[in-house]
Amino acid sequence: MGITTVNLLGAKSMAKSNVMPYMGRVTYDSVKNKARIKYFASDLHEEVTSQFQLVYETSSQSLGAEIKERIRVLGSPSTRLEGKYHHSKSAPDAAFKFRNGSDRGTKLSTVVEVGLSENYEDLCEVAATWLNGKPSIQLVILVKITENPGWTSMSSVGDYELEEAKKLLRSRTLDLEETEPRLDDITDSLTFKGMPLVNAMTVFMELWKRDEDGNPVRSGDRLWYVHDCSDPLLVFDDMFPISKEDGGDLPFALSWKRLGTALVEGRLSFAEDRYGQVRDWVRARQPEITDDDSESQPEEGTYGILSGLLHNPTACEKIQV
């Protein structure tokens, strides 16, 4: 998901206005007078976020009916915060609500924030804002995905590379059966006929809670992605104020294996989109490249220049996805 962070005098009025839903998800911190605009979500981002909701549907079968009635699964609700943050608004990537026995309605209990273009420091700041500004929240789940090096656009590349690029783009569409290496390996680059489309990814999760003094802190160790690991990463009382007698120690069956499946699907969408971006870039500058050329195959050893262009942040301007 692309992130724009700005300090502006009018951030407070923007948070109150009706423009928010049309600009994407907006987080406004009234204490720091800072607005963060999440201007679109990538397929990879949405694949990962949806896993939390899908896992709840299966894991909650082990809970009693009375407890399940108290839980609500949400998408990205725009939420006004409390206390000194009462002028602030935030919208998580996913959220869960819980109703205590004496409450009339449900209250936010767990929020999920997934960062791709967003840096780690900004994610930590978001976690702290949630925990400081919403007393009902007991857990913030951060998922940080990093592609290294990041994807770059072709917009600032000169025409002199066209002859090299043309040799790579004779295929009408991206044939995923010809990608390398294994599709389920996110820790290596994904290439098509030697053209790098998605670089190696690292992924980790952090759980943020309050310490004994009520301060936001990371709880436990950072959880790094482990391919095909089926061990659950959470239990229900991490996310909701549920006693062990009511199933609080039962696993919320989110595992790296489940998230890995989502990451693979998102990477494939990235690869298809990026292949199209490169074709569009070349065709805009060399209109004679048509689908009639699709029978021609690229020559061996022609990938070096384009490989450098696609992943050289000094040669091209970066795209945030």
Side-chain angles (χ1 to χ4, degrees), residues 199-260:
N199 279 319
M201 289 184 169
T202 58
V203 185
F204 65 79
M205 179 186 297
E206 289 185 355
L207 309 181
W208 281 65
K209 301 180 180 181
R210 298 180 187 86
D211 63 16
E212 294 179 353
D213 297 322
N215 300 312
V217 294
R218 187 180 75 192
S219 176
D221 295 330
R222 178 178 289 177
L223 306 172
W224 286 95
Y225 172 78
V226 179
H227 175 66
D228 257 2
C229 180
S230 299
D231 295 339
L233 298 167
L234 299 163
V235 293
F236 274 102
D237 68 3
D238 286 325
M239 304 172 66
F240 309 103
I242 301 175
S243 66
K244 290 185 178 180
E245 292 74 16
D246 289 328
D249 58 349
L250 294 173
F252 182 79
L254 182 75
S255 66
W256 281 126
K257 187 173 184 179
R258 287 290 300 260
L259 285 177

Side-chain angles (χ1 to χ4, degrees), residues 83-133:
K84 68 177 182 179
Y85 292 89
H86 69 282
H87 289 302
S88 303
K89 274 189 175 181
S90 192
D93 294 314
F96 297 85
K97 282 187 170 184
F98 185 81
R99 177 177 56 80
N100 281 312
S102 58
D103 292 338
R104 292 185 177 181
T106 56
K107 296 181 179 180
L108 277 181
S109 179
T110 294
V111 296
V112 180
E113 295 283 357
V114 180
L116 183 54
S117 63
E118 193 169 11
N119 65 47
Y120 172 68
E121 290 73 20
D122 284 344
L123 278 178
C124 293
E125 189 174 301
V126 171
T129 299
W130 278 117
L131 291 167
N132 286 327

